[in-house]
Amino acid sequence: MAESDWDTVTVLRKKGPTAAQAKSKQAISAAQRRGEEVETTKKWAAGQNKQHLVTKNTAKLDRETEELHHERVPLEVGKVIQQGRQAKGLTQKDLATKVNEKPQIIADYESGKAIPNNQVMGKIERVIGMKLRGKDIGLPLEAKPKQK
């Protein structure tokens, strides 16, 4: 029984104020009366629905005439991919498997929704054997002699 001393005193304390209570006006004024340091910061547009506020910058952006958007694959290229794929007897899924991409990417390229990626375009060119980039789109891809 060496561990339980008659002289040991256990003190039970009240919990400190919660975060919400510490932020209340009463808690702040009590802390100021005690002479404690109180830091207050005003959050911008706190508690207000100001995310859709029209400012000078938004109006300036609205007046901007230049359209800011990504270039998409031209429909001409999409048709060439589709014709080349069908000529080889491949489905979109087969072509996707051969170029190691998802079938949705092939569908996006064929419909003209994809943002062109030269790596993907190069892989598709090699599989269907037709040029997809440059001036001569749709022409057969000439096999370059391998250098030794």
Side-chain angles (χ1 to χ4, degrees):
M1 299 272 301
E3 294 161 62
S4 61
D5 262 353
W6 285 101
D7 298 332
T8 305
V9 178
T10 304
V11 179
L12 300 174
R13 292 190 198 153
K14 281 180 142 183
K15 289 182 184 174
T18 63
Q21 291 170 340
K23 291 179 186 173
S24 71
K25 286 194 179 215
Q26 292 171 335
I28 292 171
S29 58
Q32 286 172 334
R33 277 195 300 271
R34 288 192 301 264
E36 294 176 11
E37 213 174 291
V38 178
E39 180 185 345
T40 57
T41 55
K42 171 95 171 90
K43 289 186 180 176
W44 185 83
Q48 299 172 8
N49 189 14
K50 291 208 174 180
Q51 70 251 22
H52 300 297
L53 185 67
V54 177
T55 61
K56 290 186 288 186
N57 293 339
T58 349
K60 188 176 179 182
L61 277 172
D62 287 341
R63 286 193 304 272
E64 189 70 44
T65 56
E66 185 181 339
E67 293 265 339
L68 301 174
H69 64 279
H70 292 289
E71 290 298 317
R72 304 271 184 227
V73 176
L75 274 175
E76 176 191 2
V77 172
K79 287 192 191 287
V80 170
I81 293 172
Q82 196 171 22
Q83 289 164 355
R85 173 177 63 78
Q86 289 170 345
K88 298 261 184 184
L90 300 171
T91 62
Q92 285 182 343
K93 186 176 180 183
D94 295 337
L95 179 59
T97 306
K98 287 192 178 222
V99 297
N100 202 16
E101 294 291 341
K102 294 180 181 169
Q104 184 60 46
I105 290 177
I106 302 301
D108 287 347
Y109 270 86
E110 286 185 4
S111 63
K113 293 179 186 171
I115 297 169
N117 179 338
N118 277 330
Q119 283 185 316
V120 176
M121 297 277 271
K123 290 192 249 180
I124 295 172
E125 276 180 341
R126 285 193 294 276
V127 171
I128 65 173
M130 296 175 129
K131 288 201 92 167
L132 301 174
R133 300 172 287 183
K135 292 179 285 204
D136 37 344
I137 294 173
L139 294 178
L141 198 62
E142 61 269 347
K144 293 182 180 175
K146 292 185 180 176
Q147 296 173 349
K148 293 182 183 176

